[in-house]
Amino acid sequence: MKNLKLLVNPLNNENPITVQVLGICSALAVTVQMKPAIVMALSVIVVTAFSNLIISLGRNTIPPRIRIIVQLVVIAFLVILVDQFLKAYMYDVSKKLSVFVGLIITNCILMGRLEAFAMSNKPMDSFLDGIGNGAGYGLILIAIATVRELFGSGSLLGYQVVPQGFYELGYRDNGMMILPPMALITVGVIIWVQRSYNRKLIEKNQA
Amino acid sequence: MENLFNLFIRNVFTENMVFAYFLGMCSYLAVSKTVKTSVGLGIAVIFVITVTVPVNWLLENYLLKAGALKWLGTSFDQVDLSFLSFLLFIAVIAAMVQLIEMVVEKVSPSLYNALGIFLPLIAVNCAILGASLFMQEREYGTIAEATVFGFGAGFGWALAIVVLAAIREKLKYSNVPAPLRGLGLAFIITGLLAIAFMGFSGIKI
């Protein structure tokens, strides 16, 4: 029961992006199209799960004064593994993502979960927490990418979905959706929708 | 001298870390609830960037770049360690952040509590790693340029977070739809500010 909660909570009640405000930068950068967003989501799930597991195993031996450096080394190590894996088996996607896989190192979801959870919980719980948070991140990432790809270039996963007839009638793709500011506004609207269904997330002291 | 001043202005306004490159968003959105804490975080970020960019500049030019090890002797002419740059840059940044965390904890416990989890998160603030990577990419010629660039980038970030915090403080008095309160509105405001800052993008100084 508790394990299930660890997995499911980050999808909605404790979503890393819309509630904990972690990992925004990459959410803006890789969400112009769906395919990179999905690969990015999977990579982040792998890295969060295993970095949580490793740090949690060593949580009693890591001296608190140098914990940040230790955490970053573990993260950098896992990110390099993922990067090499993508290069070997999914070369075309890896080329498209190039910089952003490296930027997982500075994705604050990782540090945030290590600091807030893995440093004070058992390895198995931390592993599940990592999977849950990676999945919660991926969910939002894919939602943003769907909106931006659909309205920005009229396609989904690279396939044209807006029929040609629409364009002949004068429909235009919204060029604004491809620009980064629209990603911010899309996230804002997603938060709005989520909180109107899940009212206990509404912030009490409005500001 | 004039050149350095232009560099500073350019990095604060036209190439603002937050509004032009969208770096350092996490702490930007989460800590901008009150002007006081955001000023504190802003100063911390300015300090970290201003220190780490010149340090990383030295590393880049005397250790990592192809042929940078020439000062060790002619046999090191061909050594190219640039594949190590990510790892070294992040190590320098993490060490600096740890240092600042200790200082802040001693000097101002109230600021330490207010910043909470976001102080260690400065280490993974992409604005800071981003600044070092931009420094590498743009190949600044002197350490003075690198320092001014770092200070300008940090100042621009601090300016952006204080602006957002000031707007959010004023918003306390307006009647926002309940689900949009707080974070949701902060995202939308940032989006609008970013669109406004796009107006600077064509200006060449």
Side-chain angles (χ1 to χ4, degrees), chain A residues 54-178:
Chain A
I54 294 172
I55 291 293
S56 174
L57 282 173
R59 69 185 187 281
N60 295 325
T61 46
I62 299 170
R65 287 258 179 249
I66 59 155
R67 65 179 193 286
I68 294 178
I69 299 174
V70 176
Q71 289 163 355
L72 279 176
V73 169
V74 170
I75 295 170
F77 161 73
L78 285 163
V79 168
I80 290 169
L81 282 187
V82 168
D83 190 31
Q84 297 293 327
F85 179 85
L86 287 180
K87 269 187 192 142
Y89 294 101
M90 310 173 73
Y91 189 68
D92 52 328
V93 185
S94 138
K95 239 167 132 183
K96 216 180 250 171
L97 278 172
S98 61
V99 207
F100 301 115
V101 176
L103 278 182
I104 299 180
I105 301 177
T106 51
N107 191 325
C108 24
I109 289 184
L110 295 157
M111 279 291 278
R113 290 325 289 172
L114 292 181
E115 278 284 306
F117 197 90
M119 286 301 280
S120 52
N121 282 285
K122 290 200 200 77
M124 203 52 215
D125 293 354
S126 306
F127 186 68
L128 292 176
D129 181 76
I131 294 183
N133 275 286
Y137 167 83
L139 194 71
I140 299 293
L141 214 62
I142 291 166
I144 304 169
T146 313
V147 173
R148 288 182 76 188
E149 192 176 348
L150 184 61
F151 293 106
S153 29
S155 57
L156 284 176
L157 278 171
Y159 299 106
Q160 196 67 28
V161 288
V162 174
Q164 196 57 40
F166 277 38
Y167 290 102
E168 279 153 19
L169 288 173
Y171 175 82
R172 289 270 180 282
D173 288 330
N174 187 349
M176 274 295 276
M177 291 310 270
I178 299 180

Side-chain angles (χ1 to χ4, degrees), chain B residues 1-12 148 205:
Chain B
M1 203 51 224
E2 203 183 340
N3 191 12
L4 290 181
F5 186 70
N6 285 345
L7 188 67
F8 176 75
I9 295 293
R10 194 167 72 225
N11 280 298
V12 174
V148 169
I205 306 180

Side-chain angles (χ1 to χ4, degrees), chain A residues 18 25 65 106 108 203 206-207, chain B residues 26 98 124 126 174 181-183:
Chain A
T18 60
C25 319
R65 287 258 179 249
T106 51
C108 24
E203 287 168 43
Q206 47 165 302
Chain B
C26 318
Q98 196 98 64
V124 283
C126 7
S174 41
R181 272 173 207 163
L183 193 58

